[in-house]
Amino acid sequence: MIMFEVFNDFIEQLSTVYSKREATNIAELVFEHYTGINRLKRVTDKTLELTDNASNKINKALKQLLQHMPVQYILEEAWFYGKKIFVNEAVLIPRPETEELIERVIKDWRNHYSDLSIIDIGTGSGCIAVALKSIFKKAEVTAIDISDEALKVAKQNAINNNTAIHFKSADILHKSDWNTSASYDVIISNPPYIPESDKISIADNVLKYEPHLALFTPGEPLIFYKAITAFALEHLNAKGKIYVEINEDFAKDVKMIFLKHFTEVTIHKDLMGKERMVTAAR
C-alpha cells in the first residue's frame, strides 16, 4: 500500500468526525508514530509504502478515532511543557492552558532554585510535578492523588523524565489523609472543577474516555478549593503561594474562598482571555 494514498484516505474518513485541519493534524501524529517517517519525507516521497504491521496499527487507530477516542490515549503519549508524558485512560490528557500555571510559578520563583518545596495536589499524569521538577532541579517536589492507577502513570512519567518526585496516595478532601508536618512554598493544583450537571454539554471525546474522578466535582463545585485552602492554612510557608486552575464560571467564587484567609488573591486570564487561574498568598 502506498503511504501517501492511505494518508489521504485516513484524513477523508476522519473528517467525518473532525474538521479537515484537525483531522490532518491527528493523521500526522498517527502516521509518524507508527511509521517513524516524518511529514517532510512522506510528502516528498510519494512512493513510500506502508508495512503490514504499520497498516494494521493505523487502521486500528482510525477505528478508535471514529469512536471519538482521543489520539493521545491511542498513542499513549502527550506533550506538556516540552516533556513527553505517558497517558492512559486513568489520567486526564494534559492541556496547554495548564502550562500557563507553570509559567506563573516560574515567574514568581525563578530566583529560588535551591530550596523550593512544592506539592502538586491531584497530580494525575504527574505532568505538573514533572515539569516543575525539571525546571527547579533542586526543589523537593511532592505529588498526591486519590487514584492508585493515576499514581502508577505519574511514577512512570517521573522515571521517563528522570525527575525525582515523592508520590503519595491521598485524598485532599479527607484531612486524615494529609498526615504530614511538611510545609511548602508552592501549593499547586488542577483539581476537578466541572459540576455533574454540566455532563450533558461535555464533548464525547472527553466524557467517554477521560476519568470522571478527575473531571467532575463530588457535590458542590468549589469543594476542592475549600479543601486546598484548609490544607494551605496548615502547610503553606509564610512566604508561600497557592496556584490553582479553575472553571472560568466560578472565578470570583474561588477568589472569595481564598480571600477569607489570604490577602494577595488574584484571578488570572489565560491566553484566550478566559479567567482560568487563581493565585493566593498571605
Side-chain angles (χ1 to χ4, degrees):
M1 290 171 286
I2 302 300
M3 192 182 302
F4 177 76
E5 295 173 354
V6 177
F7 182 81
N8 287 340
D9 181 65
F10 188 100
I11 293 173
E12 185 176 346
Q13 292 192 58
L14 200 55
S15 294
T16 62
V17 176
Y18 297 95
S19 69
K20 184 68 173 289
R21 180 178 179 180
E22 193 168 5
T24 301
N25 290 337
I26 292 171
E28 298 283 4
L29 292 172
V30 170
F31 274 71
E32 183 163 349
H33 183 85
Y34 289 126
T35 68
I37 296 172
N38 62 32
R39 179 180 181 276
L40 179 61
K41 185 170 178 59
R42 194 182 61 253
V43 169
T44 55
D45 187 353
K46 293 182 171 57
T47 65
L48 288 170
E49 293 193 6
L50 273 177
T51 65
D52 289 342
N53 183 47
S55 178
N56 290 336
K57 290 178 178 178
I58 288 169
N59 285 334
K60 181 181 178 181
L62 178 59
K63 290 177 182 177
Q64 292 171 313
L65 287 163
L66 291 173
Q67 294 297 315
H68 302 280
M69 179 179 277
V71 67
Q72 292 91 342
Y73 287 149
I74 296 170
L75 304 183
E76 294 192 327
E77 65 182 35
W79 287 89
F80 182 82
Y81 216 81
K83 300 293 180 183
K84 184 184 285 188
I85 301 295
F86 164 64
V87 293
N88 60 25
E89 291 180 54
V91 299
L92 292 181
I93 297 166
R95 265 58 172 189
E97 52 266 31
T98 305
E99 293 180 344
E100 297 181 49
L101 203 60
I102 301 294
E103 290 286 351
R104 298 228 158 254
V105 179
I106 294 171
K107 180 181 178 181
D108 290 342
W109 299 93
R110 55 191 161 202
N111 296 322
H112 298 263
Y113 279 79
S114 60
D115 57 354
L116 198 61
S117 57
I118 301 169
I119 185 167
D120 175 21
I121 297 173
T123 193
S125 68
C127 63
I128 289 176
V130 166
L132 289 175
K133 180 61 177 179
S134 297
I135 296 158
F136 301 100
K137 298 186 185 300
K138 294 184 179 180
E140 287 289 322
V141 179
T142 300
I144 68 171
D145 204 286
I146 189 177
S147 167
D148 289 337
E149 290 303 309
L151 285 171
K152 289 179 184 178
V153 174
K155 289 175 183 177
Q156 188 60 54
N157 280 317
I159 292 170
N160 293 350
N161 288 282
N162 195 30
T163 48
I165 296 166
H166 306 291
F167 291 100
K168 181 182 177 182
S169 177
D171 182 356
I172 192 64
L173 299 182
H174 291 90
K175 189 173 181 178
S176 58
D177 273 12
W178 300 354
N179 192 29
T180 179
S181 59
S183 59
Y184 303 95
D185 300 305
V186 173
I187 295 176
I188 188 167
S189 182
N190 179 18
Y193 53 65
I194 304 175
E196 288 276 347
S197 57
D198 285 0
K199 278 186 177 180
I200 193 172
S201 63
I202 302 297
D204 281 348
N205 63 318
V206 175
L207 190 62
K208 288 183 178 180
Y209 298 101
E210 299 207 49
H212 288 200
L213 183 66
L215 286 170
F216 301 103
T217 58
E220 63 161 309
L222 304 177
I223 188 170
F224 284 99
Y225 301 103
K226 292 178 179 178
I228 290 167
T229 299
F231 179 85
L233 289 173
E234 295 186 15
H235 298 285
L236 184 67
N237 286 334
K239 295 183 179 180
K241 197 165 184 178
I242 304 167
Y243 303 78
V244 293
E245 193 166 328
I246 61 170
N247 182 330
E248 62 178 314
D249 294 336
F250 299 108
K252 291 180 176 58
D253 299 299
V254 173
K255 181 177 181 178
M256 290 306 299
I257 289 171
F258 286 124
L259 275 175
K260 290 179 181 178
H261 304 282
F262 301 96
T263 55
E264 299 176 32
V265 183
T266 307
I267 297 172
H268 303 276
K269 294 182 179 180
D270 64 14
L271 293 177
M272 302 300 292
K274 296 180 179 180
E275 295 180 329
R276 292 298 311 278
M277 294 161 281
V278 169
T279 58
R282 297 185 190 278

